[in-house]
Structures are given as C-alpha cells and as structure tokens.
C-alpha cells in the first residue's frame, strides 16, 4: 500500500486525501533530535547493541514497569525468545488467539511447540478466559494473550488460570506500548512482555526492533544470551542461540522517540474520543475501552456490515483505511496443518469479516478526521435506510 502524503495535490473533487498512517509527519517533528542521536552512534562506531541499546533497554523496561529489558531485532524474535526462556519446546502446547498478527502463532511454531488457538471476547477482541479453560491439556505450558489494537487483554482471570495450572504467561504487547490494565502497564503483568518497534507501531524504530521485558533476572540473562548466539563472552557458546541483536542506531532513535510516547499516546486517545463522539449513532460498531483499561489505540477499528463496499467507497473518496486482519490465522493456507476450519472460532471469524481500521496516528488533524467522518456518514448513514450503501442495496433489490 502506498501511504499518501497530506501535502500531495488535492484530488479532483477538491478534497484532500487522508492517509491511514503518516510516519513522515512524525519524523519531521523530531528530526532535530533524531539527527544528532544517529550521528553520535555513527561516530562512536557502535553499530550493534552497545551503550545506546543498553540505555534504551533500561528506559523502556522502566516505562513498562519491569525490571529488565532485552533489546532484540523484532517483535517476533522477542516472542520466540520469551518462549524459549519459558522452557517451551517440542511436545508442548501454547494457547493463544487466531485474532492476531501471524507472528504470534509463528513464534510458537519456531519454538517447536504446538499453537492451540482459541476465540476472543467479541467486544475487546482479546482472548476469552473461558475458552482458555476449555483448551487446557496436560501438555499446555504457556498462554500468550495479545493486547490487540492496543486494548489490554483481561489479565486477572488469565493469571489465575496460569497460577492454578502452573503455566507461563507471555504478553504479546507488540501493539500496546503504554497500555494499562487496572493501573498496571502491560508487559510487566505476566512473566514476559513482548514488544515490537516496527515503524508503524506506537513506538516505532526507523527499521526493525523489539524487546522482551521481565522481572525474572535469570530469564533475562538467558534471553540476553539467546539473542547473541548463546554467548555471554564472545566465541563461548553456552546455548544454541540466534542473531537477534538490536542495532545501535535503532536504540538511539528509540530513546529519542520514547521521550515523546506519552504525548503521542494522549493524542491518539484524544482522536479516539473524537471519533467516538462524531461516529456515535451511525450504522457501525465502535471499538470499546473497558473501565479497567487504558487503550492506546494502535488501531482504531470499527466494525461494519459490507466492509469491502464501505472500504472501497472510502478509498474512492480519498480516505485510506486498513484491515487488521482480513483472514484469521487459523484460516490461513500456511497454517491449514494446524487442523482448524471455518466455524471453529466464530467471534474471531465475525471480526475478521467486519473490522475496518480508520486513519489513526498522533499527527492526525481535526480537519482530516472531520473528512473521514463526513465520508463515513455518507456511506453508512444514521439509520438503516440511510447512506449510499443502503441506497445501493435497495436499487439492487429493484433491479434483481
Ligand atoms: C507487529 C506484531 C508482532 C511482530 O512484530 P515484528 O516486529 O513485526 O516482528 C507480533 N504480534 C503482534 C500482535 C504484532 O502486532
């Protein structure tokens, strides 16, 4: 997908296009801070790990409320290493959701364990604790709740199940930097918290990056070895490790960006509140934020009937949207061998058919947001018989 820049020429109809995401707007705002940070790394010659990564690990772990942070080269690597440090391997089962980005499930497969996919709460789109209970077997070793779109999973019942069955809880917080559950930052609630710094995430590098946070000192030590070929001292391999190291330049950039994260998150929350207010009463379902949560709106996803039609009407009129995600993992051809079929996870499947992500990024302007709302109102209308879609529907009924 090409992300249109707001400065690009106006469309023929005189309206500006609204991008789904505008990473360049954010870069322009912090360029003066980023440049010296990058130059410093280049001049010091510390390109892999090093001081900047070590400082970022401390700062980010503290921000998430954890004692240790281990910087890696992606969110996927952080999940993989958390699983290995939890002792998960062949013969084990790990319970997670299908309503997620594919990496959650892929990391379980990398560890050699079998992913067991369960359904989500239809309102929050996070793992349904009662579904976890039903999926437990003697082989279950860990649970990976995903804080999807930036809304925390309901951690208390998950922790309780974990305690009762001696399971490791690994939070997939790749979309949830700064999110809170009952006043606690996600990532430090379970034994491990896994984060991604992919450029489009709420805290994004200018390249790849990820981190595991934990309060378990010996697990942290193990992950530190795993990410760097199983070594503590160069060329002495204590574990069969990986090349999952974070780059110095990314560490330096992420330190700069972390200083802005709270302000960016508050901007996202303000935009979400405004969408809520302006879209209230239309023929669509708005995302929820439970009272015990701080949602960080990595994604602002509405649910609509005839999603493909709504999306193409929006696209025609210059509003870029996304779908997170159109096909749940259990129905992806690559994972047919897990043995699931259509109908197995009804809430997940219904969400995949109706989710539509609206433009959401800290720099989104009120004018851009008004434009999104205006076009959505034209598409969906206030009442069932209103809006372009229902008119199309009625005319097709007539012509059929
Ligand atoms: C982005 C993401 C990942 C993977 O992170 P990468 O840095 O792209 O490897 C894992 N889980 C979820 C839920 C994600 O959104």
């Amino acid at each position: 997908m090409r992300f249109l820049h707001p400065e690009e020429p106006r469309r023929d109809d005189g309206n500006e296009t609204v991008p789904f995401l505008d990473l360049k707007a954010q870069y322009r705002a912090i360029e003066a801070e980023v440049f010296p940070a990058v130059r410093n790394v280049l001049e010091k010659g510390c390109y892999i790990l090093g001081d900047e990564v070590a400082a970022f690990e401390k700062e980010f772990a503290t921000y998430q409320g954890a004692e240790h942070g281990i910087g890696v080269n992606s969110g996927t690597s952080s999940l993989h290493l958390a699983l290995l440090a939890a002792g998960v391997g062949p013969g084990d089962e790990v319970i997670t959701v299908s309503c997620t980005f594919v990496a959650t499930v892929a990391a379980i497969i990398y560890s050699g364990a079998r992913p067991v996919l369960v359904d989500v709460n239809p309102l929050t789109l996070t793992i349904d604790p009662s579904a976890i209970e039903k999926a437990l077997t003697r082989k279950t070793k860990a649970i990976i709740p995903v804080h999807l779109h930036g809304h925390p999973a309901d951690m208390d019942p998950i922790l309780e199940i974990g305690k009762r069955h001696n399971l490791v809880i690994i939070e997939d917080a790749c979309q949830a930097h700064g999110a809170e559950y009952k006043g606690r930052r996600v990532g430090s609630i379970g034994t491990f918290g896994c984060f991604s710094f992919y450029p489009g995430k709420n805290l994004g590098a200018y390249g790849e990056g990820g981190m595991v946070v934990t309060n378990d000192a010996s697990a942290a030590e193990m992950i530190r070895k795993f990410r760097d070929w199983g070594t503590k001292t160069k060329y002495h391999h204590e574990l069969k490790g990986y090349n999952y190291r974070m780059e110095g330049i990314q560490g330096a950039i992420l330190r700069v960006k972390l200083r802005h994260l709270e302000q960016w998150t508050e901007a996202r929350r303000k935009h979400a509140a405004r969408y809520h207010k302006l879209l209230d009463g239309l023929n669509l379902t708005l995302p929820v934020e439970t009272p015990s949560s701080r949602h960080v709106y990595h994604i602002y996803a509405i649910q609509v009937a005839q999603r493909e039609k709504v999306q193409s009407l929006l696209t025609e009129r210059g509003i870029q949207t996304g779908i997170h995600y159109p096909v749940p993992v259990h129905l992806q051809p690559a994972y047919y061998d897990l043995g699931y079929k259509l109908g197995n996870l009804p809430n997940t499947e219904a969400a995949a058919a109706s989710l539509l992500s609206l433009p959401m990024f800290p720099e989104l302007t009120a004018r851009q947001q008004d434009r999104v709302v205006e076009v959505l109102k034209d598409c969906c209308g206030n009442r069932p018989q209103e809006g372009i879609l229902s008119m199309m529907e009625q005319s097709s009924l007539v012509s059929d």
Side-chain angles (χ1 to χ4, degrees):
M1 183 197 287
R2 193 173 77 99
F3 296 120
L4 285 166
H5 193 273
E7 282 166 19
E8 283 186 31
R10 281 168 182 274
R11 297 158 40 82
D12 294 344
D13 60 12
N15 288 305
E16 67 179 337
T17 55
V18 182
F20 175 65
L21 186 65
D22 190 353
L23 296 178
K24 287 185 289 183
Q26 185 167 89
Y27 171 66
R28 279 194 302 277
I30 57 170
E31 186 175 1
E33 292 170 76
V34 169
F35 249 82
V38 171
R39 190 182 304 121
N40 177 43
V41 174
L42 294 177
E43 284 172 357
K44 278 200 299 200
C46 205
Y47 305 135
I48 305 285
L49 298 175
D51 296 355
E52 292 294 321
V53 169
F56 176 60
E57 288 174 337
K58 284 212 176 69
E59 290 161 5
F60 187 72
T62 302
Y63 175 78
Q64 293 298 151
E67 280 172 41
H68 310 278
I70 307 98
V72 292
N73 62 349
S74 73
T76 310
S77 303
S78 73
L79 287 161
H80 183 193
L81 296 191
L83 285 158
L84 295 187
V88 171
D92 295 330
E93 291 178 355
V94 178
I95 298 174
T96 191
V97 288
S98 172
C99 187
T100 183
F101 180 60
V102 69
T104 318
V105 177
I108 297 169
I109 294 170
Y110 296 171
S111 78
R114 195 174 92 82
V116 175
L117 306 179
V118 302
D119 216 348
V120 290
N121 173 314
L123 296 176
T124 62
L125 305 178
T126 58
I127 198 162
D128 173 1
S130 68
I132 298 177
E133 297 268 12
K134 288 181 200 130
L136 291 167
T137 73
R138 279 172 42 219
K139 294 181 181 170
T140 309
K141 186 97 181 211
I143 306 171
I144 308 185
V146 179
H147 306 307
L148 197 76
H149 298 170
H151 190 290
D154 189 8
M155 293 302 292
D156 276 349
I158 299 168
L159 293 173
E160 194 275 315
I161 295 169
K163 208 166 182 180
R164 198 156 20 93
H165 296 273
N166 197 23
L167 308 174
V168 182
I169 312 298
I170 300 171
E171 297 174 66
D172 183 339
C174 288
Q175 302 187 355
H177 319 70
E180 288 171 18
Y181 175 78
K182 300 188 176 171
R184 291 178 67 187
R185 290 265 159 93
V186 301
S188 56
I189 303 171
T191 304
F192 299 100
C194 299
F195 291 86
S196 166
F197 306 117
Y198 180 78
K201 300 288 161 88
N202 286 20
L203 180 60
Y206 293 141
E208 305 274 2
M211 193 178 294
V212 185
V213 303
T214 182
N215 290 325
D216 182 331
S218 64
E221 186 67 19
M222 193 184 230
I223 294 171
R224 256 176 228 292
K225 288 179 191 166
F226 270 131
R227 77 165 166 193
D228 191 14
W229 293 117
T231 60
K232 191 169 178 184
T233 319
K234 213 168 185 181
Y235 307 129
H236 294 271
H237 305 274
E238 298 167 36
L239 300 168
K240 292 194 179 73
Y242 300 82
N243 175 359
Y244 280 176
R245 299 170 302 229
M246 180 178 272
E247 295 183 356
I249 286 178
Q250 303 308 337
I253 291 164
L254 286 163
R255 285 188 79 192
V256 169
K257 295 185 81 175
L258 180 58
R259 298 201 287 266
H260 297 272
L261 183 58
E262 272 304 291
Q263 187 202 324
W264 289 334
T265 300
E266 284 307 314
R268 286 176 185 272
R269 289 178 52 77
K270 213 179 88 220
H271 301 330
R274 197 157 179 271
Y275 269 140
H276 264 65
K277 202 174 84 203
L278 299 175
L279 297 175
D280 188 40
L282 298 194
N283 294 315
L284 42 86
T285 306
L286 299 175
V288 302
E289 179 181 42
T290 60
S292 55
S293 299
R294 182 196 196 207
H295 193 329
V296 294
Y297 294 100
H298 170 57
I299 299 283
Y300 186 92
I302 58 170
Q303 293 188 51
V304 278
Q306 305 184 71
R307 188 257 317 275
E308 268 64 31
K309 278 192 197 163
V310 173
Q311 187 179 38
S312 68
L313 284 169
L314 287 165
T315 308
E316 266 170 38
R317 296 181 64 187
I319 313 294
Q320 290 189 344
T321 55
I323 299 175
H324 304 90
Y325 297 91
V327 181
V329 181
H330 73 288
L331 300 178
Q332 295 281 358
Y335 299 101
Y336 282 165
D337 60 355
L338 295 177
Y340 296 92
K341 57 184 195 304
L342 187 68
N344 286 158
L345 304 172
N347 296 341
T348 298
E349 290 159 15
S354 64
L355 284 169
L356 183 66
S357 312
L358 301 184
M360 171 56 82
F361 49 93
E363 300 75 17
L364 185 71
T365 65
R367 202 177 64 184
Q368 288 175 321
Q369 224 184 353
D370 288 340
R371 180 74 190 138
V372 174
V373 171
E374 184 189 355
V375 176
L376 256 179
K377 277 192 174 151
D378 286 349
C379 291
C380 299
N382 288 333
R383 270 167 282 144
Q385 64 274 32
E386 283 178 3
I388 294 172
L389 274 177
S390 55
M391 290 192 302
M392 280 167 52
E393 193 111 287
Q394 280 157 22
S395 62
S396 75
L397 284 180
V398 173
S399 60
D400 274 355

